[in-house]
Amino acid sequence: MSKKNIFTNPYRDGDEDHLYFTDEKMLKHFASSLAMVEKYFRYTMVGFNNFPPKKGFMIVANHGFMPFDMALLIRQIYLKTGRRVRMLMHSRTWRLPVLREVFLNMGAVDATPENAVRLLKRGEIVAVFPGGEREGLRSSAHKYKLLWEGRTGFAKTAIAAGVPVVPCMSVGIDDIFYILDQPMKISKKLFHRYLPFPFFVGLGGLPFPRKITTHIGVPIQPPKSSKMVTRFHQQVWASSQKMLQEGVKKRRWFE
């Protein structure tokens, strides 16, 4: 079922918790429209065969300021396997007319643990950024550092659904813009209220054409007990951070 027309099939409260909205034509258009973006960033992947072929799993990724890498990874998964990656969207998304219908057609759902578990138990792929907005808006002085402290939601969800977690760490995504520290004279409260995005520098209005490579790790199986959340969180974080650091070291200087 699609939700593609805002006049004949407009958004209604609760649609964001519906798991069955999709529009294959839109998905194919999305995949083809990203071809030029993929060339711009010379996008590559390492370890694609690590993805479980059929069952549900969770992707955890590092959060760049503008996560083109996730869109390109989703595109490649769709082209190579025909499987959709379900994104969890912030509640603010459903206040945006037109865009919310687009996101629903793309398979997005409200970012709740309940929705994530339901999708994963159905054998779907769910992608999350454990670092969230905090990681996505950090300055370039702290690039390639995973700010996952206290972010145990993904671990709880994976354990509840009984699915593996696959770390997908992108090298290059933190270099497509230079993110400045916020001005010292502006308080954090005022900064986040009136200027919620950091100051950044790119190639004019475009990102720098840095090469982006997504390193796909080996699936990490969750423990059976919910009492192991903290240990599982640390295991996934440590594996992801190590993979990210190794990817940065292996990158050639001119990329």
Side-chain angles (χ1 to χ4, degrees):
M1 184 197 310
S2 66
K3 200 79 178 170
K4 59 187 174 185
N5 194 302
I6 64 173
F7 300 108
T8 61
N9 195 7
Y11 168 82
R12 296 178 178 82
D13 287 341
D15 283 346
E16 65 273 17
D17 296 317
H18 199 300
L19 305 187
Y20 300 94
F21 290 130
T22 184
D23 186 330
E24 287 297 328
K25 289 184 179 180
M26 183 176 289
L27 289 173
K28 291 178 180 178
H29 177 72
F30 168 78
S32 62
S33 66
L34 286 173
M36 292 301 296
V37 178
E38 188 170 282
K39 291 181 180 179
Y40 184 81
F41 292 116
R42 293 165 288 155
Y43 183 71
T44 57
M45 298 173 296
V46 178
F48 189 87
N49 290 335
N50 285 332
F51 284 134
K54 294 182 180 180
K55 66 178 184 177
F57 62 90
M58 177 186 290
I59 291 173
V60 293
N62 55 316
H63 199 330
F65 174 49
M66 292 189 182
F68 291 103
D69 57 321
M70 180 56 73
L72 296 176
L73 178 62
I74 290 173
R75 175 181 187 267
Q76 283 298 321
I77 291 174
Y78 180 73
L79 292 177
K80 292 179 182 296
T81 69
R83 301 182 69 184
R84 290 181 298 161
V85 175
R86 307 297 292 268
M87 293 298 297
L88 304 180
M89 307 294 287
H90 194 280
S91 58
R92 287 193 295 263
T93 303
W94 316 117
R95 303 174 190 170
L96 305 174
V98 182
L99 284 178
R100 60 194 176 195
E101 276 78 15
V102 172
F103 290 132
L104 286 169
N105 280 329
M106 296 292 290
V109 299
D110 198 33
T112 65
E114 294 79 12
N115 283 340
V117 171
R118 289 165 65 204
L119 287 169
L120 291 166
K121 285 188 173 181
R122 289 179 57 207
E124 303 231 30
I125 306 169
V126 172
V128 299
F129 294 109
E133 186 179 79
R134 176 174 171 236
E135 187 174 292
L137 300 181
R138 70 196 186 290
S139 73
S140 290
H142 302 287
K143 64 183 181 179
Y144 299 120
K145 293 181 180 179
L146 301 179
L147 306 181
W148 295 5
E149 297 87 348
R151 304 297 181 95
T152 60
F154 76 90
K156 293 177 181 177
T157 300
I159 293 173
V163 299
V165 171
V166 181
C168 293
M169 299 292 111
S170 291
V171 174
I173 191 62
D174 282 354
D175 297 304
I176 63 174
F177 289 103
Y178 184 79
I179 311 300
L180 287 73
D181 282 314
Q182 67 185 59
M184 295 301 292
K185 294 182 180 180
I186 302 179
S187 72
K188 288 185 178 181
K189 183 177 181 179
L190 289 175
F191 181 82
H192 288 293
R193 181 175 180 180
Y194 297 107
L195 190 63
F197 294 101
F199 294 106
F200 63 93
V201 177
L203 193 62
L206 297 174
F208 294 115
R210 300 299 300 270
K211 179 176 174 58
I212 297 177
T213 300
T214 298
H215 297 266
I216 301 162
V218 175
I220 302 174
Q221 299 296 329
K224 295 182 179 180
S225 173
S226 59
K227 296 180 180 180
M228 304 290 286
V229 168
T230 301
R231 182 178 295 182
F232 183 53
H233 170 275
Q234 288 295 319
Q235 180 186 4
V236 176
W237 175 85
S239 177
S240 300
Q241 186 66 73
K242 180 181 179 181
M243 186 165 59
L244 189 57
Q245 291 174 343
E246 290 177 349
V248 171
K249 289 180 180 179
K250 291 177 181 178
R251 181 179 54 176
R252 291 175 289 185
W253 68 270
F254 54 84
E255 295 179 334

